[in-house]
Amino acid sequence: MENPNENLVANNFIKTIITEDLKVNKNGGKVHTRFPPEPNGYLHIGHAKSICLNFGLAKEFGGITNLRFDDTNPVKEDVEYVDSIQEDVKWLGFDWDDRKYYASDYFDKLYEYAVQLIKMGLAYVCEQTPEEIRANRGTLTEPGKPSPWRDRSVEENLDLFERMKNGEFEDGTHTLRAKIDMASPNINMRDPVTYRIKKMNHHRTGDKWCIYPMYDFTHCLSDMLEGITHSICTLEFEDHRPLYDWYLKVLKTPCHPQQIEFARLNINYLVMSKRKLRQLVMENYVSGWDDPRMPTICGFRRRGYTPAAIRNFAERIGVTKAESIVDYSVLEFCIREDLNKVATRRMAVINPLKVTIENYPDDLHDDELDAINNPEDQNAGSRKVKFSKVIYIERDDFMENPPKKFFRLAPGKEVRLRYAYFITCKEVIKDANGEVVELICTYDPASRGGNSPDGRRVQGTIHWVSAEFGRKAEVRMYDNLFLTENPDVAPEGKTFLDNLNPDSLKTIEAWVEPALMDAKPSEKFQFERVGYFCADSIDSKPDTPVFNRTVGLRDSWAKMKK
Ligand code: ATP
Ligand code: MG
């Protein structure tokens, strides 16, 4: 069985750092974090981990969190992404109050800091092409070669940098580089580019700028300008930390946030790179960023996942410095755990088999039975479900030649219909191909409500939908989007797209009980014995509901791996 608790980290190392900082009254006892997405795509479950961590830590320690759009790259950014990011953070249950910032808000200040670096003799305008810069950077074992422009005078650098800003030079001809150490064992410290020319329109600053600051320069100064105390990021930035600290130190900034790195979230069977997710959307492998098979927050939302479940998941997997891959079943465990509490129970038959109850009165059309809406929630109450002479049951709940331990319906066997009656199978009707098309049964009127009239036991209980009162509804049976545990790995000549699961969506027509006809968009249900479903937030309409399968009732993944 699954044991998600094995990943549980009670007290993560970042909490320990913050606790120590608070003890010595570092930062005046303040905790101020930020979530800094680049608005170049929709947020995914990996971002959810970062959101829960940043907002969660601040909450726990009485601090605050900023939302900051890291929009230094004018190429791929879009207002659509800015809007969706805010929607998703809020949906997860977090709030930045009035602290929504954009790195681009700081472009003027950053420019001034760059001028200061030049004046201190710590930055220079370099005329090497990006290729030359790369070629001269050296390797892990060899130092880099200093740029021929490294020793220009401060005046010349100030003049050239201003002319870069004024648009006198073309893209790729000039950069501003920090003058640090071309022989540093850390390649990030080998005179990193601080500004580059990009004659491009920016979604917020328009055509004001044709030079844009690089991430490393922007990030530490944005953190500093916002008074961030703990700047939490993923492990790939560990080697950038010396540069983060260098800029703040040489510029003698009034405060110096602490960068702390943690291992990013990886989950098997999912891809989590925005570039790949964008490709799935742009090339129509999925219906959009919010396709219920996408590991995006909006995809999970449409699939029927809940914010509480995702927050629990983030807590459960913990925070470490060691890279690992979390099993998808842990996420599904958290979804089920939450849906079990909140989902309304209903009956739906996914793969119907007709059952006629021969001794049920032909003229009985108002036989209303009581059905409980949610055994986990007393307040959910009950509903009436009408029974009828002809019903549908799940094809899987009948076997003509059952093995010994099969407790559902079989010729001559008796079974309980949930909330209704005991029925016994008398006759099996087949079509010309030998396929079972109908069962003729009898019922025991004295077992009304599903209660044994005389103490006799039936072992199986199955669900059903009335053929007279039930309705047909579209159900989208989602399965994992990729067939392989690590979809990013593909054989020579293939890509992650070759690992797509061709059967990740099967649309079927199910028989559902009438109460499901009024399903509200996004409403969550447990189809008893089948799984968790939700009404699609876009396509489901009153009287023509559409249901998405959120997750099965049990861990089907554990079974698969055996
Ligand atoms: P991707 O690699 O998917 O494009 P990214 O890191 O470029 O993601 P950003 O928008 O820069 O995306 O990320 C915003 C924040 O979310 C960053 O602090 C980043 O470290 C964090 N983050 C991104 N992916 C993950 C992940 N898989 N697990 C934890 N945190 C993540
Ligand atoms: Mg990034």
Side-chain angles (χ1 to χ4, degrees):
M1 274 307 285
E2 62 201 68
N3 179 14
N5 287 320
E6 67 196 6
N7 290 304
L8 192 68
V9 179
N11 190 13
N12 69 55
F13 77 98
I14 303 181
K15 287 188 193 173
T16 310
I17 293 174
I18 296 179
T19 306
E20 291 302 314
D21 288 348
L22 290 176
K23 260 190 218 153
V24 298
N25 202 36
K26 193 174 161 187
N27 308 309
K30 269 195 330 171
V31 176
H32 196 159
T33 58
R34 87 283 171 267
F35 173 63
E38 190 181 344
N40 61 350
Y42 281 65
L43 298 180
H44 52 60
I45 181 77
H47 295 113
K49 173 173 179 173
S50 176
I51 292 166
C52 292
L53 184 59
N54 279 294
F55 282 90
L57 284 169
K59 206 172 204 171
E60 184 169 342
F61 290 97
I64 48 178
T65 307
N66 294 0
L67 174 64
R68 184 199 313 139
F69 292 102
D70 168 25
D71 60 351
T72 49
N73 188 353
V75 193
K76 304 163 289 190
E77 293 157 5
D78 202 312
V79 199
E80 178 193 350
Y81 300 138
V82 168
D83 293 343
S84 74
I85 288 169
Q86 296 181 67
E87 186 184 355
D88 290 349
V89 174
K90 284 202 177 139
W91 180 76
L92 278 174
F94 299 107
D95 195 352
W96 54 89
D97 298 317
D98 56 352
R99 293 176 310 279
K100 176 174 85 182
Y101 302 110
Y102 293 84
S104 57
D105 292 342
Y106 309 132
F107 281 173
D108 285 295
K109 285 181 183 156
L110 294 173
Y111 182 80
E112 287 310 312
Y113 278 113
V115 168
Q116 238 178 288
L117 283 180
I118 296 174
K119 286 185 180 162
M120 290 188 288
L122 292 175
Y124 60 94
V125 172
C126 179
E127 293 176 40
Q128 288 182 323
T129 61
E131 295 72 34
E132 286 169 327
I133 293 179
R134 210 172 305 126
N136 289 313
R137 204 163 42 184
T139 62
L140 287 175
T141 50
E142 274 172 69
K145 286 196 201 69
S147 159
W149 317 101
R150 197 169 196 264
D151 293 314
R152 291 210 228 245
S153 69
V154 169
E155 288 66 37
E156 198 183 349
N157 280 319
L158 285 173
D159 175 60
L160 286 169
F161 188 47
E162 177 150 10
R163 288 166 61 193
M164 276 172 67
K165 182 180 86 154
N166 293 342
E168 287 186 33
F169 308 118
E170 292 315 306
D171 289 16
T173 60
H174 294 66
T175 56
L176 183 73
R177 296 177 70 178
K179 192 171 175 179
I180 309 179
D181 179 4
M182 287 306 290
S184 171
N186 183 336
I187 293 178
N188 295 308
M189 300 299 274
R190 294 181 188 169
D191 291 9
V193 172
T194 303
Y195 266 89
R196 80 266 203 228
I197 302 171
K198 264 194 181 172
K199 294 194 167 163
M200 252 186 193
N201 187 276
H202 184 280
H203 78 115
R204 283 182 60 86
T205 58
D207 291 324
K208 177 173 175 191
W209 297 92
C210 64
I211 54 170
Y212 290 95
M214 299 298 288
Y215 176 86
D216 286 320
F217 181 68
T218 310
H219 205 80
C220 58
L221 289 169
S222 305
D223 282 346
M224 181 279 294
L225 288 166
E226 292 175 17
I228 300 303
T229 56
H230 300 85
S231 176
I232 298 162
C233 61
T234 36
L235 275 184
E236 69 270 22
F237 291 104
E238 197 165 25
D239 292 342
H240 296 240
R241 182 166 12 109
L243 183 55
Y244 184 104
D245 289 333
W246 186 87
Y247 283 126
L248 295 178
K249 192 174 128 230
V250 300
L251 288 167
K252 299 193 179 60
T253 54
C255 70
H256 190 136
Q258 180 182 2
Q259 178 179 307
I260 304 168
E261 310 86 17
F262 70 98
R264 63 172 45 229
L265 170 65
N266 301 298
I267 303 180
N268 58 6
Y269 295 98
L270 301 185
V271 299
M272 241 184 294
S273 122
K274 266 188 265 181
R275 186 182 59 77
K276 288 181 181 158
L277 296 177
R278 191 179 311 113
Q279 195 179 349
L280 291 172
V281 175
M282 298 306 164
E283 297 175 14
N284 297 314
Y285 290 99
V286 293
S287 65
W289 287 95
D290 66 349
D291 186 298
R293 293 163 293 181
M294 290 282 275
T296 49
I297 297 180
C298 57
F300 281 153
R301 175 164 63 231
R302 193 166 168 194
R303 177 82 173 251
Y305 288 18
T306 60
I310 295 176
R311 289 195 304 266
N312 284 341
F313 172 71
E315 185 67 36
R316 207 178 276 272
I317 56 175
V319 183
T320 65
K321 275 229 176 235
E323 288 284 359
S324 67
I325 298 174
V326 174
D327 208 275
Y328 197 95
S329 65
V330 180
L331 178 58
E332 292 199 328
F333 173 90
C334 295
I335 306 305
R336 271 187 219 109
E337 189 180 50
D338 192 45
L339 289 178
N340 181 45
K341 285 182 267 177
V342 300
T344 306
R345 272 52 169 183
R346 291 288 183 259
M347 291 197 286
V349 172
I350 298 297
N351 188 10
L353 174 62
K354 184 177 171 186
V355 173
T356 301
I357 299 162
E358 59 181 4
N359 61 337
Y360 193 84
D362 288 322
D363 56 353
L364 187 50
H365 302 288
D366 57 358
D367 187 5
E368 289 193 322
L369 302 157
D370 285 314
I372 295 166
N373 286 332
N374 184 352
E376 303 290 322
D377 177 5
Q378 293 301 308
N379 298 324
S382 64
R383 67 190 182 283
K384 301 280 185 198
V385 189
K386 277 190 189 168
F387 197 72
S388 60
K389 189 176 178 81
V390 180
I391 60 168
Y392 292 105
I393 64 166
E394 214 68 69
R395 202 159 264 281
D396 284 355
D397 283 334
F398 171 78
M399 276 185 96
E400 199 174 8
N401 300 297
K404 234 185 158 149
K405 291 265 174 195
F406 187 80
F407 296 124
R408 291 166 278 163
L409 203 55
K413 283 266 180 65
E414 187 169 44
V415 79
R416 175 189 292 106
L417 293 175
R418 183 93 163 129
Y419 305 122
Y421 298 98
F422 290 4
I423 58 167
T424 303
C425 177
K426 295 291 181 197
E427 194 187 333
V428 181
I429 299 175
K430 296 181 185 175
D431 65 10
N433 303 319
E435 207 195 327
V436 178
V437 289
E438 187 183 347
L439 304 177
I440 307 296
C441 296
T442 55
Y443 85 124
D444 178 354
S447 64
R448 196 167 189 278
N451 303 309
S452 180
D454 51 11
R456 81 175 184 275
R457 278 165 52 91
V458 294
Q459 275 182 294
T461 300
I462 65 175
H463 61 280
W464 53 276
V465 169
S466 156
E468 186 178 345
F469 304 107
R471 299 275 295 271
K472 283 182 183 172
E474 179 178 333
V475 175
R476 298 173 182 169
M477 302 294 282
Y478 290 106
D479 203 341
N480 41 325
L481 190 53
F482 291 97
L483 288 171
T484 52
E485 270 210 61
N486 185 353
D488 291 319
V489 177
E492 207 34 57
K494 307 241 172 194
T495 71
F496 77 107
L497 296 170
D498 293 290
N499 295 325
L500 279 164
N501 176 5
D503 297 321
S504 58
L505 168 58
K506 280 193 198 130
T507 300
I508 60 160
E509 209 176 44
W511 276 93
V512 304
E513 65 167 274
L516 280 167
M517 285 292 124
D518 330 311
K520 288 186 271 305
S522 302
E523 197 175 348
K524 317 271 184 292
F525 300 98
Q526 185 196 95
F527 291 175
E528 292 205 40
R529 301 181 62 244
V530 178
Y532 292 100
F533 292 76
C534 80
D536 190 73
S537 55
I538 296 168
D539 299 329
S540 192
K541 300 277 175 319
D543 221 43
T544 51
V546 175
F547 298 101
N548 297 329
R549 186 171 80 139
T550 308
V551 63
L553 283 185
R554 271 171 296 276
D555 180 12
S556 53
W557 299 76
K559 255 185 280 163
M560 255 174 53
K561 269 178 277 161
K562 264 178 213 152

